[in-house]
Amino acid sequence: MNNPDDEQYLLDALSRNDKKAFEKLFTTYYPKIKRFLTGFLDTQEEGEDLAQDVFVKLWQNRLSFAHVENLNAYLYRMAKNTLYDHIAKSGRL
């Protein structure tokens, strides 16, 4: 549990406002989330913006992430919801 690369350790640290844990999670997951979102969008910039929005939400809600069991699945769910919101707001539906 004391391994700084362990996902649960990072989530626990994140919930204690640890910026280094957030940076590690960001560098690990941002490229994957950006690639996922960009696949559904018109431009790379949109994918980057929405991926950044996912991580802003992660930081804003960091106190509630200590109990997340599968961060990968949780982040992809956040990304999907962010994508749906973006599409709805842009009138593409």
Side-chain angles (χ1 to χ4, degrees), residues 26-88:
F26 182 86
T27 58
T28 300
Y29 289 99
Y30 175 80
K32 298 173 190 177
I33 297 298
K34 180 182 77 171
R35 196 169 31 255
F36 171 75
L37 291 167
T38 301
F40 295 100
L41 298 164
D42 295 332
T43 67
Q44 174 111 7
E45 291 78 22
E46 280 183 301
E48 290 171 358
D49 289 346
L50 293 184
Q52 288 175 8
D53 289 347
V54 168
F55 285 92
V56 167
K57 290 175 193 171
L58 177 67
W59 179 254
Q60 289 172 336
N61 298 307
R62 64 192 172 278
L63 301 178
S64 62
F65 282 93
H67 296 76
V68 169
E69 292 183 21
N70 185 336
L71 180 62
N72 191 59
Y74 197 91
L75 286 173
Y76 277 96
R77 173 63 59 108
M78 286 176 67
K80 185 174 80 169
N81 291 339
T82 300
L83 176 64
Y84 289 159
D85 289 345
H86 174 74
I87 290 170

